[in-house]
Amino acid sequence: MSGGEEAAPRRGRAPLPRRSRRRWAVAGGVAAGWLVLEVMTGSAVSATLVLVAVAALGGASLAGLRALGITRDHPWLQQMASRPWRDGQDVLRIAMRHLPDVFVVTPSGSLLAPAVVELQLNPADLDSLAERMELGVISSSLTEVYEEQVAAYHARPAAPGRAQVYVTASGSVPPGRYRLRQGDPVRAGTRPDLVESSYAHAAPELAHAGRRRAYTGPVSPVWQDPGPLSPTMAAGGTTMLEQSLPPVPVLRLITGSSVVETRTSGARAGRGPVELMLPDVPTVSREHGRFTFADGRWWITNQGRNGLTLNGAKVTGEQPLSDGDTIRWGNNPDAPLSRVEIT
């Protein structure tokens, strides 16, 4: 490289999703167990046979528990999944390290950092945290760490101006755990001008991520949708202009007598604490699918262990949706079937 040329900026590498980290941890544990067995038995074949036997015994145990109705939603397992030994400060410290999980990977491979991030904690953890420091201090600290990680990963901010990270309480989050997701500018308690700048000037990849709402003050949002044809939003006795965005059509899933719908890009479907609730049956995972709106249409991505089919074809990667499509939540013929309506 000549002295007059500048080095091209290094493209940021996306952080591993939580599911990928879990899979790598399981793979590492299996490899470590095999090495221990190989040393103990002195034979690679014996170590492999013992490992296979242990895996078969574990699989049979899981199948027996499921047959007894003990699934992930069982109170015993929910209690085991929580981290009661952690207080709010421990959870906050761990969540700070995983703020990059909210980055969006664009089709070009670059990273996009949302302008607003929401950290959800269990109410008890948030109470214990609030006893030690003010929520404003927590938000400022999280925002500083988030901006440092945006720079470290070479991510591109989704909107001009400073990012914001805020904390909320959610009863669906077990004690000692947390949930990170793209936040809502209105819920962040920001000024109306920040509400407009966070999404009106957002990058195209997040153009449909936020919903337009009326706003009555700095900390008192009114959850209303002024409609796609309304160029203004009422704010008390004032009116502020809003850039018109293409409307996001309603995505509706009809599963037997159950009907759920959403306009939110990134909505999840499953039997857990998700935006689109599905029947609570073994073939449906807690987070079975994710729906995103891009390029003027809805797309579906499989996130369940049992897989899903779209119009009878197995879904691999991201698949486009059309009005009238059918989604089967699982590969079994008796798995729940949903009809898609897009209006």
Side-chain angles (χ1 to χ4, degrees):
M1 180 178 66
S2 62
E5 296 180 353
E6 295 184 359
R10 183 170 60 90
R11 173 175 292 182
R13 180 175 58 86
L16 285 176
R18 181 175 300 179
R19 179 175 296 182
S20 297
R21 292 197 299 266
R22 188 183 299 115
R23 289 174 178 174
W24 277 109
V26 171
V30 171
W34 184 88
L35 288 176
V36 171
L37 290 173
E38 199 276 334
V39 172
M40 293 176 60
T41 61
S43 170
V45 176
S46 299
T48 303
L49 291 176
V50 172
L51 196 62
V52 171
V54 171
L57 181 62
S61 301
L62 290 176
L65 291 174
R66 177 169 291 187
L68 294 174
I70 302 178
T71 62
R72 290 184 179 183
D73 296 327
H74 197 277
W76 293 351
L77 296 183
Q78 288 291 327
Q79 186 175 4
M80 293 173 60
S82 66
R83 303 291 189 270
W85 59 86
R86 294 177 182 167
D87 59 11
Q89 193 169 7
D90 295 332
V91 180
L92 180 65
R93 189 180 302 112
I94 296 172
M96 281 183 171
R97 299 200 301 263
H98 295 283
L99 285 172
D101 289 351
V102 300
F103 292 167
V104 178
V105 182
T106 65
S108 63
S110 62
L111 298 180
L112 197 65
V116 183
V117 178
E118 179 181 4
L119 170 61
Q120 294 183 353
L121 301 179
N122 182 271
D125 291 335
L126 185 58
D127 289 342
S128 67
L129 190 61
E131 292 176 356
R132 300 187 181 186
M133 62 186 75
E134 297 181 357
L135 291 181
V137 176
I138 299 173
S139 178
S140 299
S141 302
L142 286 169
T143 300
E144 292 177 1
V145 174
Y146 181 66
E147 291 179 335
E148 292 174 358
Q149 292 175 340
V150 169
Y153 280 95
H154 302 279
R156 177 165 56 93
R162 189 178 185 186
Q164 184 174 7
V165 184
Y166 65 97
V167 186
T168 61
S170 175
S172 64
V173 179
R177 306 298 288 267
Y178 67 90
R179 182 183 298 128
L180 281 168
R181 66 180 186 181
Q182 182 180 323
D184 192 316
V186 177
R187 292 188 65 189
T190 55
R191 303 185 310 275
D193 57 340
L194 182 57
V195 176
E196 179 184 355
S197 64
S198 296
Y199 285 112
H201 305 290
E205 292 84 353
L206 295 182
H208 303 284
R211 291 184 248 176
R212 293 163 290 181
R213 307 185 188 277
Y215 195 84
T216 62
V219 292
S220 177
V222 177
W223 303 100
Q224 299 175 357
D225 190 344
L229 300 180
S230 176
T232 62
M233 291 193 299
T238 63
T239 300
M240 55 186 178
L241 294 177
E242 181 192 44
Q243 180 174 332
S244 178
L245 295 176
V248 179
V250 175
L251 173 70
R252 186 176 297 109
L253 299 179
I254 303 175
T255 312
S257 60
S258 172
V259 179
V260 292
E261 62 181 39
T262 185
R263 283 181 182 267
T264 304
S265 179
R268 301 160 300 166
R271 58 182 174 86
V274 295
E275 292 78 13
L276 299 170
M277 292 293 297
L278 296 175
D280 188 1
V281 296
T283 60
V284 179
S285 303
R286 288 173 58 83
E287 293 185 11
H288 204 130
R290 181 180 293 271
F291 296 90
T292 55
F293 187 80
D295 299 329
R297 66 187 310 176
W298 283 98
W299 302 73
I300 185 174
T301 306
N302 174 45
Q303 291 189 313
R305 294 182 177 181
N306 297 322
L308 60 85
T309 61
L310 177 63
N311 298 327
K314 185 176 181 180
V315 171
T316 57
E318 196 174 36
Q319 299 291 332
L321 289 173
S322 301
D323 185 38
D325 286 349
T326 57
I327 302 173
R328 189 173 294 280
W329 305 97
N331 295 319
N332 297 333
D334 58 345
L337 184 70
S338 298
R339 188 176 80 252
V340 177
E341 287 187 358
I342 301 176
T343 57

